[in-house]
Amino acid sequence: CHPPCSPCHECGTDLVTAEAGRYFERDGKPYCARDFLNKFASHLCSGCFKPLREGQEMVSAAGRKWHVEHFMCRSCGVSLKDEGIFKIMEQEPYCVTCYDSFVSICPACERHVGDDALLALKRAW
């Protein structure tokens, strides 16, 4: 099979559905953007995939780097440079609103509820 029909060589992600056909290739092997950046391109911006130059303002989070103007919520695209607070899920940055919409938050302590949650009153505690 040919890229992008093949899954990511590193994590097995379906490149057609999960990555909308966007992939990177190295030595004839297809990679999703996250794995390509983690494995081969630590000197590239995780947003635009262009070089990070010395002296440029950049953001580092979750072991990756972005030009400040490309540090955006993976879900809604809002700029995180002025937000001050952001969340990381699966090595991707999210604004608090999007992150909270993806995870269960305990109504009592307002912390993330894990797999060991107690389900009662139609809520996870």
Side-chain angles (χ1 to χ4, degrees), residues 42-92:
S42 62
H43 64 285
L44 297 180
C45 172
S46 292
C48 70
F49 308 108
K50 292 184 179 172
L52 293 161
R53 304 200 190 291
E54 192 172 326
Q56 271 186 317
E57 192 176 2
M58 65 183 81
V59 175
S60 295
R64 297 166 59 192
K65 296 177 183 173
W66 289 262
H67 293 114
V68 172
E69 62 271 19
H70 298 142
F71 189 56
M72 297 181 263
C73 174
R74 173 80 164 138
S75 181
C76 71
V78 70
S79 173
L80 298 174
K81 71 179 183 179
D82 297 323
E83 290 289 308
I85 298 173
F86 62 91
K87 303 285 187 167
I88 299 292
M89 182 169 51
E90 297 178 3
Q91 293 186 309
E92 296 289 347

Side-chain angles (χ1 to χ4, degrees), residues 86-103:
F86 62 91
K87 303 285 187 167
I88 299 292
M89 182 169 51
E90 297 178 3
Q91 293 186 309
E92 296 289 347
Y94 290 88
C95 67
V96 173
T97 302
C98 288
Y99 178 85
D100 287 348
S101 72
F102 296 137
V103 298

